[in-house]
Amino acid sequence: MSRAALLVLADGRFPAGGHAHSGGAEAACKAGRIHDATTLEEFCRGRLHTAGLTAAALAAPAALGLDPAVLDAAADARTPSPALRTAARRLGRQLLRAARATWPSAELEALAAAFPRGAHQPVVLGVTARAAGLGPGDAAHVAAYESVGGPATATVRLLGLDPFEASGVLARLAPDLDAVAARAERAALRARSRGTDALPAASSPLLDISAEVHADWPVRLFAS
């Protein structure tokens, strides 16, 4: 495992396209569900234990070498919102482009050939982690962190929230992040023998509904 590679992959400046997505924060801000650091923390904690857990539990088995096509189908089944499926594939395509340039590998090339329009981002993340010499726990941590880091950063732009407060939210979520990543890694190990049914499928209906509403806005700051 390369700690430096882990830092590169988790860096918000890595050109994977995440800066253009709010993780549902834009719709939540407009609806008044996020309006300060306290409500941001509540939103992020809920997102981490639902969408974040599901993403981490898809990235971890991909890093273990499980069939990405099977995992992509599992991701589709766990993403009822068409808008979120589209966003996940766009992010996957952008991440794959960056990953192929950064950590060239036969597995990344095969993934690009199999999914020319993009695989789900967590699946691409796991394959990328594998190409970078990282393990399932590393992939799970990156996916879990992305699930809350994106909304926190977006809220700074959307509300003018103090960035120190946003960073404090992420710091307070650290124990939850570790717990979610560990749960995802354990699920990935079970999935090697039991298949994708062993992976969590935590639901977040309000995020799904908000994503569909957000997709219809004529003007918005973020793509999702």
Side-chain angles (χ1 to χ4, degrees):
M1 191 277 272
S2 167
R3 185 166 295 173
L6 177 60
L7 293 173
V8 171
L9 185 56
D11 192 337
R13 292 164 293 188
F14 188 69
H19 66 280
H21 296 260
S22 77
E26 185 167 22
C29 287
K30 185 172 182 179
R33 290 190 291 275
I34 300 177
H35 52 81
D36 58 13
T38 299
T39 49
L40 171 62
E41 185 169 345
E42 292 170 351
F43 176 87
C44 286
R45 181 170 282 105
R47 193 172 196 279
L48 173 62
H49 287 280
T50 54
L53 172 62
T54 300
L58 290 164
L64 274 176
L66 273 68
D67 187 345
V70 173
L71 291 170
D72 190 77
D76 247 5
R78 288 160 171 75
T79 313
S81 163
L84 289 181
R85 285 199 296 271
T86 298
R89 292 192 182 280
R90 286 176 178 168
L91 283 167
R93 185 169 63 246
Q94 178 65 22
L95 173 57
L96 186 56
R97 180 183 177 191
R100 291 167 70 192
T102 308
W103 296 288
S105 79
E107 286 181 282
L108 289 172
E109 293 303 318
L111 186 62
F115 293 93
R117 294 188 177 184
H120 276 262
Q121 193 269 358
V123 178
V124 178
L125 175 61
V127 178
T128 300
R130 184 175 171 85
L134 302 172
D138 303 313
H141 266 95
V142 174
Y145 180 75
E146 286 179 346
S147 75
V148 293
T153 301
T155 304
V156 172
R157 296 168 63 185
L158 290 162
L159 298 179
L161 186 71
D162 186 335
F164 295 129
E165 289 190 290
S167 294
V169 166
L170 296 177
R172 288 190 293 275
L173 287 172
D176 291 69
L177 278 162
D178 289 341
V180 165
R183 182 179 172 188
E185 184 176 13
R186 291 193 299 269
L189 295 172
R190 292 194 301 269
R192 288 192 297 185
S193 58
R194 294 168 49 190
T196 56
D197 286 348
L199 301 178
S203 63
S204 47
L206 189 54
L207 285 176
D208 296 329
I209 294 168
S210 297
E212 292 302 309
V213 173
H214 181 270
D216 285 337
W217 290 359
V219 178
R220 55 183 186 265
L221 182 60
F222 291 93
S224 70

